[in-house]
Amino acid sequence: MVDWNLAVATATRLVRPGPEVSRDEARAVVAELRRHAKASEEHVRGFTRMVSEEDADTPVLVVDRPGWVRANVAGFRELLKPLLDKMEERRGTSAGGAVLGAVGGKVTGVELGMLLSFLSSRVLGQYETFAPATRDLPAGNGGGRLLLVAPNIVHVERELDVDPHDFRLWVSLHEETHRTQFTAVPWLRDHLQGEIQSFLGETDVDPMTVLERVREAAQTLAGGRPEGEEDDGGRSLVELVQTPAQREILGRLTAVMSLLEGHADYVMDGVGPQVVPTVGEIREKFQQRRAKGASRLDLALRKLLGLDAKLRQYRDGERFVRAVVDEVGMDGFNRVWTSPNTLPTKTEIAKPADWIARVHRKTES
């Protein structure tokens, strides 16, 4: 269904060149990011009071854009295998199977490569939760690695005109928070993987429907749609394939991702004033950059891939964490990591008081 090697080759060929740096400058950036990643461990653990209950041996990899592509293809390949196996079975029995078979894995590989080339210049860092170890890309026990994309970090710090040393530490704090979340909460990885696999398992994969979604996606990027057809509001590809069961699962996944992203933003800003002198300037400029209008193609792709929803997750999740910590303190907030039952629901993310009442069993006096 997917030619993964072709996806890597396509993305690597199409990826935009990074900012101009000398070889010595590149070495210095890599070395500094590694130092910041190490220092961030202590800062994050001290602020969050979260202690790893397992050997936190997940490696930190400072990569370029092609390196980010290779790492993510390995992760996608692992995570999507059940869905792709199901699509392969369906292809043989569906009326559209021959058409999809003609399109083939090579076309899918090219399309995936194009999307990855687009994303590879935008990601500053990433904790790969489900990453399998490969020959060139090590991973921790059970998977997992932290990626810092050096050329993208340099590009953004120059674009924002902020202190590069402070910005690099600020980014490292955010990504280290994600690593801490998964190493300090042993059940979190399996829970999240289970939810994702349930979502994929509920997918009613019809080959002709897939082709139709590709057509709609192309029209979204081209800015057109059939005459007389109303705009669907710019739904993402994930939303287009939802079943009722998937909508329930996606609601839970959205809540978890909002929590994780918002918690990372909260920690990044909470630790920042102690160790990042210019954190106020960085945050203000970075928020302006997030909100600033992008090109028409960028906006279309963000909507198509659901990246707009990710930006909302940062905002909603950070507000939830801040409200809970303000009310019950950091230790009270950390009850969120007790079990899947103490994770906030999608409704509770928007109404932190409801989560506090449920988990802390508060009653009116």
Side-chain angles (χ1 to χ4, degrees):
M1 295 298 293
V2 180
D3 187 327
W4 297 104
N5 292 330
L6 184 57
V8 172
T10 300
T12 301
R13 185 176 68 253
L14 296 177
V15 70
R16 299 176 184 178
E20 292 187 11
V21 294
S22 69
R23 184 169 297 180
D24 287 343
E25 287 175 317
R27 289 197 188 102
V29 170
V30 170
E32 183 173 25
L33 285 172
R34 286 175 176 158
R35 289 196 304 271
H36 284 331
K38 183 64 177 177
S40 294
E41 291 184 45
E42 182 178 351
H43 295 317
V44 170
R45 284 158 174 72
F47 183 80
T48 64
R49 302 174 193 172
M50 298 174 70
V51 179
S52 297
E53 296 184 13
E54 59 183 54
D55 183 17
D57 64 344
T58 51
V60 176
L61 306 180
V62 181
V63 299
D64 58 9
R65 290 168 179 174
W68 180 87
V69 168
R70 289 192 296 272
N72 275 264
V73 165
F76 283 146
R77 192 170 189 170
E78 182 77 11
L79 196 60
L80 296 179
K81 188 177 184 303
L83 174 62
L84 294 178
D85 288 346
K86 185 176 180 179
M87 290 182 69
E88 186 69 34
E89 292 175 5
R90 279 290 193 92
R91 193 180 70 174
T93 58
S94 170
V99 176
L100 194 59
V103 173
K106 291 192 179 299
V107 172
T108 309
V110 169
E111 292 170 344
L112 177 60
M114 293 172 65
L115 292 176
L116 287 170
S117 71
F118 168 80
L119 294 171
S120 67
S121 63
R122 285 155 174 77
V123 177
L124 300 181
Q126 175 185 2
Y127 181 76
E128 278 201 296
T129 312
F130 311 110
T134 67
R135 185 182 62 181
D136 301 321
L137 296 164
N141 294 331
R145 55 179 165 244
L146 193 154
L147 305 177
L148 295 171
V149 191
N152 296 350
I153 292 172
V154 172
H155 171 77
V156 173
E157 70 191 26
R158 290 179 178 179
E159 179 185 304
L160 298 181
D161 190 25
V162 294
D163 182 281
H165 308 293
D166 284 2
F167 184 74
R168 294 165 196 174
L169 177 54
W170 189 70
V171 171
S172 298
L173 289 169
H174 185 279
E175 302 311 325
E176 175 56 37
T177 302
H178 286 316
R179 183 164 67 160
T180 297
Q181 290 163 347
F182 285 93
T183 57
V185 186
W187 55 264
L188 184 58
R189 179 184 183 275
D190 288 343
H191 172 72
L192 192 58
Q193 185 175 32
E195 290 282 61
I196 293 172
Q197 293 302 336
S198 295
F199 179 87
L200 296 178
E202 288 290 338
T203 301
D204 187 15
V205 184
D206 175 71
M208 291 307 296
T209 299
V210 173
L211 290 177
E212 178 67 13
R213 296 321 181 205
V214 171
R215 180 187 69 82
E216 292 179 4
Q219 290 173 349
T220 299
L221 296 179
R225 57 184 183 274
E227 184 177 355
E229 184 178 309
E230 293 185 359
D231 192 343
D232 67 0
R235 293 180 296 172
S236 71
L237 285 178
V238 170
E239 291 171 322
L240 288 170
V241 299
Q242 277 185 56
T243 64
Q246 280 181 306
R247 279 190 282 274
E248 292 184 14
I249 299 169
L250 190 61
R252 296 195 299 268
L253 278 171
T254 299
V256 174
M257 297 311 298
S258 296
L259 171 68
L260 299 180
E261 296 294 357
H263 183 236
D265 263 14
Y266 178 81
V267 172
M268 183 170 57
D269 288 344
V271 174
Q274 306 169 35
V275 297
V276 182
T278 60
V279 65
E281 177 190 0
I282 290 172
R283 165 55 80 185
E284 181 179 359
K285 289 184 175 180
F286 197 76
Q287 290 287 59
Q288 290 173 355
R289 181 179 184 271
R290 277 182 178 173
K292 186 173 65 174
S295 70
R296 189 167 174 275
L297 177 60
D298 275 9
L299 290 172
L301 281 170
R302 286 179 186 177
K303 182 66 70 176
L304 183 65
L305 297 172
L307 298 182
D308 284 353
K310 186 174 178 65
L311 294 180
R312 289 196 297 274
Q313 288 171 6
Y314 284 107
R315 295 192 300 266
D316 297 346
E318 196 275 340
R319 282 196 292 264
F320 170 84
V321 176
R322 185 174 300 280
V324 172
V325 174
D326 286 349
E327 180 69 20
V328 297
M330 185 62 74
D331 290 335
F333 166 79
N334 280 340
R335 287 196 187 184
V336 79
W337 312 117
T338 304
S339 75
N341 292 330
T342 56
L343 291 172
T345 65
K346 189 175 179 180
T347 299
E348 288 170 341
I349 287 287
K351 298 180 178 179
D354 290 357
W355 179 87
I356 293 171
R358 176 172 68 86
V359 173
H360 288 261
R361 305 298 185 200
K362 280 195 170 183
T363 58
E364 294 293 333
S365 57

